[in-house]
Amino acid sequence: MGSFIEVSDVCKTFRVSKRSAGIPGMLANLVAPRYEKKEAVRNISFQIGQGEMLGFIGPNGAGKSTMIKMLSGILCPDRGRVSVAGYNPCRQRKKFVGKIGVVFGQKSQLQWDLPVRDSYELLRAIYAVPGNVYRKNLKQFIDMLDLGHFIDQPVRQLSLGQRMRADIAASLLHSPEIVFFDEPTIGVDVVGKQVIREFIRELNGKNNVTMIFTTHDMQDIEKTCERLMIINEGRKMYDGSLHGIREKYGTARQLDVEFNYECEIRPIEHVEIQSLPEEGHIRKRFVFEQGVVSVNDLMNELLSQYSIRDINITEPEIDDIICRTYGGEADEMRA
């Protein structure tokens, strides 16, 4: 798979106004304004192949929005090189914008008082989509996203889930080669999320569209993407598969044990013992590192000493692993 997107040693710094509080600070800032530099993106490099689905995540203020803006041509990097589909997004923006689609979970590109279909016709004219391509895409999206029963309703009458499905179709009518999804399922119910995620996977398989997700809902990433990139404080911390981050950094395991009677558990070396308050002393949680403690040895020790009703082994949630990287527990991730 060739490189569809290439980012090489990209940096972006902003000049941020800095002043003291209150009226004196405001007056002083008018006479002699002070600024400080903020590095939003620091020497980031990566490649994305055509048709890849990438989850691009990080805490608020990490620099991911700045990176997406450089990929879409809204901002130019201070240093480094960005190439998308053979274009320099910043320098060739007029030619480039027809190649991309953007879905904002909190901002619609549809006309509020017009029927959905009329908004689509307006977008067809803006992007100069040939009639046969427009009709083909519209029919495909109506079928795949179940738009038929509300496509002739005004946008203001749609539920949030319906509007999101309509917005996704609007972003794809001109057959973009790359789509940026920003919180595509925010506020959508469980059924709506499933429809959107299935549509995204199916479209990627059929049309080989490159897709980049920025979202705080890790289920969006897990259900659609095979590759994950984590950025924090402007630096790339991880770039690899979801399976890889679980294998390398999700080493903690927990054993939930339900006992037949209340009992006092003796300390176990390298194992943290937690009470589950909703069950009193009947249930306990044993937390350990899989490379340090053998789960079989731990289970044998518990079974031989206590009367046990049930045992359940669980792996950490992907959200917990990501939170650890945000908190600085995986500094070695930094590229």
Side-chain angles (χ1 to χ4, degrees):
M1 182 184 293
S3 294
F4 183 68
I5 298 174
E6 294 186 16
V7 174
S8 178
D9 296 319
V10 165
C11 299
K12 185 66 180 178
T13 301
F14 295 101
R15 194 172 69 153
V16 181
S17 177
K18 185 179 181 182
R19 70 175 178 86
S20 301
I23 293 176
M26 180 184 69
L27 295 175
N29 191 60
L30 290 173
V31 177
R34 292 184 300 148
Y35 299 94
E36 64 179 11
K37 290 185 177 180
K38 175 179 172 56
E39 288 185 282
V41 173
R42 310 180 189 186
N43 297 102
I44 287 183
S45 300
F46 59 86
Q47 297 181 341
I48 301 174
Q50 187 165 9
E52 272 199 82
M53 301 175 76
L54 171 72
F56 192 68
I57 66 171
N60 294 329
K64 59 185 184 298
S65 295
T66 301
M67 190 69 249
I68 293 297
K69 287 176 182 177
M70 288 189 284
L71 288 174
S72 58
I74 296 172
L75 293 176
C76 294
D78 296 334
R79 298 190 303 277
R81 174 176 169 270
V82 177
S83 174
V84 181
Y87 291 90
N88 181 320
C90 177
R91 306 298 180 193
Q92 300 172 283
R93 192 152 188 258
K94 286 186 178 180
K95 295 180 180 179
F96 173 68
V97 290
K99 303 288 184 181
I100 68 174
V102 182
V103 177
F104 294 105
Q106 302 185 62
K107 185 177 180 180
S108 177
Q109 61 180 313
L110 302 172
Q111 302 302 306
W112 189 246
D113 291 312
L114 294 180
V116 175
R117 192 186 298 272
D118 288 3
S119 289
Y120 289 170
E121 289 288 345
L122 180 60
L123 290 168
R124 181 188 69 81
I126 290 172
Y127 285 100
V129 183
N132 61 327
V133 174
Y134 171 75
R135 289 188 293 272
K136 174 178 173 291
N137 286 345
L138 183 59
K139 182 180 184 306
Q140 180 184 18
F141 300 154
I142 287 174
D143 293 341
M144 294 172 69
L145 286 168
D146 193 23
L147 307 178
H149 62 284
F150 61 81
I151 194 170
D152 293 310
Q153 289 181 223
V155 173
R156 57 183 165 78
Q157 295 181 358
L158 304 184
S159 68
L160 180 57
Q162 290 172 333
R163 184 183 65 74
M164 279 309 309
R165 282 184 274 161
D167 259 312
I168 289 173
S171 300
L172 296 165
L173 285 171
H174 60 292
S175 302
E177 296 179 34
I178 176 171
V179 182
F180 298 98
F181 290 98
D182 180 27
E183 302 285 0
T185 65
I186 188 168
V188 180
D189 62 29
V190 175
V191 176
K193 286 183 178 185
Q194 184 176 352
V195 170
I196 290 171
R197 290 164 182 163
E198 288 179 356
F199 168 76
I200 288 170
R201 288 196 301 268
E202 188 173 350
L203 186 72
N204 173 259
K206 284 184 176 180
N207 298 358
N208 204 34
V209 180
T210 304
M211 299 178 177
I212 297 179
F213 296 79
T214 56
T215 178
H216 294 291
D217 186 342
M218 286 307 301
Q219 286 295 311
D220 285 346
I221 304 295
E222 285 197 284
K223 299 294 185 182
T224 56
C225 301
E226 294 184 356
R227 181 179 171 189
L228 176 69
M229 190 180 300
I230 303 174
I231 183 172
N232 196 8
E233 297 180 352
R235 293 188 176 96
K236 186 175 69 172
M237 298 178 67
Y238 178 80
D239 185 0
S241 67
L242 282 165
H243 176 73
I245 197 172
R246 282 188 180 278
E247 285 292 310
K248 194 169 184 180
Y249 301 104
T251 56
R253 295 292 182 270
Q254 64 185 38
L255 195 68
D256 289 348
V257 180
E258 182 178 357
F259 296 90
N260 284 315
Y261 53 83
E262 293 186 8
C263 54
E264 206 55 48
I265 307 298
R266 289 189 292 273
I268 303 173
E269 191 175 10
H270 304 302
V271 177
E272 178 187 353
I273 303 174
Q274 303 173 353
S275 294
L276 300 179
E278 69 276 9
E279 297 291 342
H281 294 285
I282 303 300
R283 293 186 67 223
K284 299 280 187 180
R285 174 168 292 166
F286 300 81
V287 182
F288 57 93
E289 291 291 325
Q290 64 174 353
V292 178
V293 175
S294 165
V295 65
N296 288 332
D297 291 346
L298 177 59
M299 289 175 63
N300 288 336
E301 181 174 347
L302 293 172
L303 288 167
S304 65
Q305 298 184 39
Y306 307 99
S307 176
I308 292 174
R309 182 177 301 168
D310 189 30
I311 293 181
N312 183 41
I313 306 172
T314 60
E315 296 184 356
E317 295 289 336
I318 189 68
D319 301 69
D320 295 334
I321 299 172
I322 300 303
C323 284
R324 288 177 59 193
T325 71
Y326 291 172
E329 293 183 31
D331 290 338
E332 70 272 18
M333 280 179 165
R334 286 194 175 97

